[in-house]
Amino acid sequence: MSRPRVTSDILVVGLSSRTAPLDILELTTVNSDALPKALHDLVRREHIAEAVVLSTCTRTEVYAVASGFHGAMADVRNFLVEWSGSQPPDFRDDLYAFYGDEAASHLFRVSSGIDSPLLGEGEIVRQVREAWDAARREGAAGQTLSSLFRHAIEVGKRARSETAISRGTTSLSQAAVAMAAERLDGLLGRTALVVGAGEMGRGIAQALASVAGAGEILVANRTSSKAIALAERVRGRPLQLDHLVTALEGTDLVVTSTGSPDVQLTADDVRSALPGRRGRPLMIVDVAVPRDVDPAVGDLPGVTLLNMDDLKAFVDASIAQRRHEVGAVNQIVAEEVERFFQLLAHREAAPVVAALRQLGEQLRQEELDRHRARLTGMTEQERAVVESVTRGILAKLLHEPTVRLKAASGSARGDQLTDAVRTLFALPLGAPAERDDDVA
């Protein structure tokens, strides 16, 4: 089936753990505090009308409504270069771009969890929603991207309800704990320190608490109230962030996942804690992007440092059973891309149809008002007949144009017909605003 042609051109440009090394990916990360600034920067650029930024620990993607592919592509690429502070050659080959139906398909695959390092990941639907919510708050997401992201959330839910893509471990926090347990030959009696009490940190702490026989869980966070609340939830102990180095002396496992742009543990920090450990090995799992731990920590004696690249390799080896579901999810994505563009095309015809009917009703009322004096002698029943007859004539007159406009919407002929109707009847160019209701 041919794809409906619509006037709103959707573009996505980004990079992910599939295409870029961690040191490049962390340069382009947009944390929640910086998101408003990034969104306003994007929509001020010449070729971008709307924008949503989806930035997670495994991807940074800019979704845009573009006035032209090449101009918007350059705008987004320049934004990413400026944001990262790097030169274009640093990650030019790591970027991917999709346009039109391919952009919609990409987002639907993302929300379905089949473009994540952990196949079927469940956290991504929430992240997609949060990215859209942030863009709406800042006025960066309009009708087109709101329609796209609303649909993407529906697709993610459909994929998980109709297939087994999310069966088993489907969160990166659970996978990080499983990887640590495998490397440590179990967590029995192990003391774990969780640094960061955000969404990922909460998931990690809860995953640790669910391990039978695991030792004490310490929680450190920049905001002490969050550390206290999470520690209470997992029956652990809160820790002030400035006591982090001291705590390393009695810890077997450290898992970090803060949203800070700054390093939380330097090589000197960890080196100073080694004498108090008396030769006991220390494992540190850094799943933050940007990284919380100086990579040089991994060179210290007795210290094993794992990061997002190691986590990706771990989950790649553990998802064979879910790969069989990818085909079914791709079929859902294809169906939903078709449906989305049909809805988008119909939405473009709807304002013209509505304006034409509104004009007809206005003229009908004006004519009735003009002859109101002649109708005053009529009975209530006779006036009802006049009302019914004039409404019926108007409905029959507009029926065929309405049917033809809707049938041709999304095609070149549809564009010609809507332009002709607007010109012949001097209809306004504006369209009614679309509601941005949340998906239930």
Side-chain angles (χ1 to χ4, degrees), residues 40-69:
H40 288 294
D41 183 333
L42 283 163
V43 295
R44 281 197 295 263
R45 298 188 182 239
E46 181 181 359
H47 303 284
I48 297 175
E50 300 178 31
V52 174
V53 177
L54 177 60
S55 186
T56 73
C57 59
T58 63
R59 70 181 67 247
T60 295
E61 296 177 339
V62 174
Y63 292 82
V65 172
S67 60
F69 173 78

Side-chain angles (χ1 to χ4, degrees), residues 101-261:
D101 59 338
E102 291 186 350
S105 179
H106 175 74
L107 178 58
F108 294 174
R109 285 173 54 83
V110 169
S111 65
S112 298
I114 58 174
D115 194 68
S116 298
L118 181 56
L119 193 63
E121 176 194 354
E123 295 169 342
I124 189 63
V125 176
R126 172 189 55 78
Q127 293 166 335
V128 167
R129 177 188 286 278
E130 289 177 351
W132 173 37
D133 285 344
R136 285 195 295 171
R137 284 194 302 271
E138 300 303 323
Q143 291 185 4
T144 299
L145 289 187
S146 286
S147 295
L148 177 68
F149 274 73
R150 183 186 301 108
H151 207 108
I153 293 168
E154 293 175 350
V155 174
K157 291 180 178 179
R158 183 185 168 194
R160 287 165 177 81
S161 66
E162 295 183 16
T163 74
I165 194 65
S166 291
R167 184 175 298 161
T169 300
T170 57
S171 76
L172 290 176
S173 52
Q174 291 175 343
V177 172
M179 177 177 67
E182 182 179 280
R183 293 294 190 99
L184 289 171
D185 194 24
L187 298 177
L188 182 65
R190 306 278 190 184
T191 298
L193 168 59
V194 178
V195 184
E199 187 72 25
M200 178 72 84
R202 291 195 295 271
I204 290 167
Q206 289 167 349
L208 286 166
S210 69
V211 177
E216 185 179 30
I217 299 173
L218 307 178
V219 180
N221 190 66
R222 180 175 53 185
T223 306
S224 59
S225 60
K226 290 185 177 180
I228 293 169
L230 180 54
E232 289 178 350
R233 185 184 305 180
V234 298
R235 298 181 180 179
R237 180 161 57 91
L239 183 73
Q240 292 184 4
L241 202 57
D242 53 7
H243 294 170
L244 194 59
V245 176
T246 303
L248 293 180
E249 294 183 1
T251 300
D252 300 297
L253 169 65
V254 180
V255 189
T256 69
S257 63
T258 77
S260 172

Side-chain angles (χ1 to χ4, degrees), residues 16 18 28-29 33 49 52 89 111 156 162 213 231 295 298 323 326 337 342 387 398 410 431:
S16 73
R18 292 185 298 100
T28 60
T29 299
D33 292 339
V52 174
S111 65
E162 295 183 16
R323 292 192 188 279
V326 172
V337 167
Q342 290 288 355
E387 183 76 15
L398 297 183

Side-chain angles (χ1 to χ4, degrees), residues 24 27-29 78-87 90-91:
I24 294 297
L27 287 175
T28 60
T29 299
N78 290 339
F79 161 79
L80 291 171
V81 170
E82 293 163 14
W83 190 264
S84 69
S86 65
Q87 295 300 313
D90 286 348
F91 61 81

